[in-house]
Amino acid sequence: MFRVAVVGSGPSGVYTAQSLLQQDSEVLVDVLDRLPCPYGLVRYGVAPDHEKIKSLQNSLRTVLQEPRVRFLGGVHVGAGGVPAERLAELYHAVVYCVGAATDRRLGVPGEDLPGSWSATRFVSWYSAHPDAPPGGFVAGARAAVVIGAGNVAVDVTRILARGADELSGTDMPQAALAALAASRVTDIHMVGRRGPSQARFTTKELRELGSLPDAEVMVDPEELALDPQYADPSGLPAAQRRNVEVLREWAGRPRRGAPRHIHLRFFLRPVELLAGGGPSSGGPGGEPEKGRVGAVRFERTAPDGRGRGGVRGTGRFEEIDAELVLRSVGYRGVPQEGLPFDAEHGTVPHLAGRVVHEGAAVPGRYVAGWIKRGPTGVIGSNRPCAKETVTSLLADAPALAARGLPGDPVGALRAEGAEPVDWAGWLAIERAEERLGASLGRGVVKLPDWESLLAAARSGR
């Protein structure tokens, strides 16, 4: 019997479990997660109106229901939970698939003003993550600035611009739906520091902004033309070329007078967030809210002429009024107890998935996913990443399996204070979310907090 713990039940963790099953007919895999729910960012990071991507949960579910795989939610590994060294004693090998748990910062004055949030916090709120802040994002705001030009930036822009009727059919928690229904945000500025040919969003995501029934996209042809490749995008890679072509189409489109406006801005670098109190910084009753963000000051950038999307400052500045600022400039991994950490890249040093410390592999410790390679790629990128790690692990298996284990780890996890939520507990959470949705006249509606999730899980025992 060869036991492996996989820490993290998102795509990288589940693909690691799947690869273990495919390459070793005897292995037993426990997939541990701090949350009582599986699927990681597929459940808590994919926008609720992206049902096709969220349906990936069905394939992840198939793996977690395999007889040799066991889901153990509600198990925190590290400080305040099960010590990493203790976990290593309970399994022959441990694979950390913990993703990139925090966001990158802008590093500019005013970044921590009330009303300024990371986009990941906003996503957690409308996705019902139990650690999410209580809300209040859109209260009192009439204009929002989303800093970033990737798919997460597009997601939060789209959610801000959608009407409540469009979102009621999703699994968005009721409190978030009600807040967005009451939102008075009418102008959303999505701002990138580089040009349209360097934007990181996909064309499919971009086009969705142009199909929202209650919003229209506004672009400035003169601003787009600052990109040297805007006039002739034929030499760009296919994805970037399609993005530019969509923006060119929108630049020539007549206005249709929709109630919400999405302003796509480029070549603007944030230099400071300014406190409110100006004429457009009204609170719920229209009065100024001192101390809350009221505008973002940007420096106009320009291509630096060196290629690869580099830009330089021009010394010209512009302010955009906004009572809500969402920063979407990337994710970052955080240190894990018992593992070395590369602070520069936010990853765990490794060699083909084997954790490496001071030039030597750490026996029985492995990584896969974003904590291994950084926050890059799409969901499917986790498959080859997991396979590489599992190949290394199974090459080491004969030596690792020589060590005896104390028996089934669940009892020892409980002795460390964990209360594992098994698959039956997760199914009970699903049933509770179905009942909640039915009571609200909606489909499935997510339970938004630890108390309700754990109460539902206990009902399945």
Side-chain angles (χ1 to χ4, degrees):
M1 180 189 303
F2 186 62
R3 286 191 180 275
V4 177
V6 174
V7 182
S9 66
S12 64
V14 176
Y15 292 152
T16 295
Q18 184 180 47
S19 190
L20 282 164
L21 296 186
Q22 292 171 342
Q23 297 187 52
D24 188 320
S25 61
E26 302 295 329
V27 69
L28 299 178
V29 184
D30 284 350
V31 179
L32 283 55
D33 203 292
R34 184 178 67 88
L35 300 176
C37 310
Y39 311 137
L41 280 179
V42 177
R43 176 175 168 90
Y44 288 119
V46 174
D49 58 343
H50 274 179
E51 295 182 4
K52 184 175 181 180
I53 301 175
K54 289 175 72 68
S55 68
L56 177 63
Q57 293 181 12
N58 296 328
S59 62
L60 302 181
R61 182 189 197 96
T62 301
V63 178
L64 293 174
Q65 289 178 316
E66 288 283 350
R68 290 186 287 133
V69 175
R70 183 167 54 176
F71 173 69
L72 298 175
V75 178
H76 176 55
V77 178
V82 179
E85 288 300 328
R86 181 56 176 152
L87 188 69
E89 294 170 357
L90 302 175
Y91 294 89
H92 292 110
V94 180
V95 187
Y96 287 86
C97 304
V98 293
T102 191
D103 60 282
R104 295 183 181 275
R105 293 178 59 84
L106 297 174
V108 302
E111 186 170 8
D112 294 318
L113 283 170
S116 169
W117 301 85
S118 72
T120 55
R121 299 271 280 177
F122 185 62
V123 170
S124 293
W125 171 68
Y126 68 60
S127 298
H129 194 291
D131 291 338
F137 291 93
V138 296
R142 295 184 180 277
V145 165
V146 179
I147 299 173
N151 279 344
V152 174
V154 174
D155 278 349
V156 299
T157 297
R158 190 181 65 254
I159 293 297
L160 285 169
R162 275 205 186 279
D165 290 345
E166 301 170 71
L167 295 172
S168 62
T170 72
D171 62 4
M172 179 180 287
Q174 188 67 15
L177 179 64
L180 289 168
S183 168
R184 296 191 295 170
V185 173
T186 56
D187 285 276
I188 306 139
H189 303 259
M190 194 178 89
V191 186
R193 65 183 176 87
R194 298 188 293 177
S197 67
Q198 288 87 43
R200 301 297 295 273
F201 44 67
T202 60
T203 308
K204 179 179 180 297
E205 294 259 0
L206 177 63
R207 283 194 179 279
E208 282 184 288
L209 294 178
S211 63
L212 300 178
D214 294 327
E216 64 179 316
V217 177
M218 306 176 76
V219 294
D220 182 347
E222 293 184 4
E223 188 171 77
L224 297 176
L226 296 173
D227 189 328
Q229 294 176 290
Y230 176 73
D232 180 12
S234 60
L236 290 171
Q240 284 72 37
R241 184 183 70 249
R242 289 192 294 267
N243 286 342
V244 171
E245 289 170 350
V246 170
L247 293 167
R248 285 163 58 95
E249 174 190 338
W250 288 347
R253 194 163 59 180
R255 304 278 173 83
R256 55 187 177 88
R260 297 187 184 92
H261 301 144
I262 299 172
H263 307 263
L264 299 185
R265 304 294 308 276
F266 299 94
F267 291 114
L268 290 172
R269 177 168 55 203
V271 295
E272 186 177 6
L273 276 62
L274 306 173
S280 64
S281 302
E287 71 281 0
E289 288 187 356
K290 293 184 178 179
R292 176 176 175 164
V293 67
V296 184
R297 190 169 191 243
F298 293 92
E299 181 182 18
R300 169 67 67 188
T301 62
D304 62 8
R306 301 175 185 174
R308 298 193 177 187
V311 294
R312 58 175 177 82
T314 64
R316 292 183 289 116
F317 298 89
E318 175 181 338
E319 291 181 13
I320 299 178
D321 289 344
E323 301 81 27
L324 171 63
V325 177
L326 298 173
R327 315 178 305 270
S328 180
V329 291
Y331 293 94
R332 180 174 174 80
V334 299
Q336 303 296 309
E337 181 186 277
L339 298 181
F341 188 68
D342 180 345
E344 180 181 354
H345 298 98
T347 57
V348 171
H350 72 95
L351 181 61
R354 295 181 178 92
V355 173
V356 172
H357 180 56
E358 295 181 348
V362 180
R365 308 286 176 92
Y366 303 85
V367 286
W370 280 1
I371 197 63
K372 171 186 173 183
R373 67 181 193 275
T376 60
V378 296
I379 290 175
S381 305
N382 291 294
R383 283 188 182 274
C385 175
K387 185 176 180 180
E388 177 190 57
T389 295
V390 168
T391 299
S392 296
L393 189 160
L394 293 179
D396 302 339
L400 298 172
R403 178 172 60 88
L405 299 180
D408 191 330
V410 171
L413 294 174
R414 290 197 175 106
E416 294 291 339
E419 288 293 336
V421 174
D422 61 12
W423 192 251
W426 160 240
L427 295 180
I429 291 172
E430 285 191 315
R431 292 193 296 271
E433 293 183 335
E434 291 171 359
R435 291 193 298 270
L436 175 60
S439 73
L440 296 169
R442 298 172 58 194
V444 172
V445 173
K446 286 180 182 174
L447 298 172
D449 57 79
W450 281 98
E451 183 179 0
S452 58
L453 286 168
L454 293 177
R458 287 192 292 268
S459 73
R461 290 178 181 170

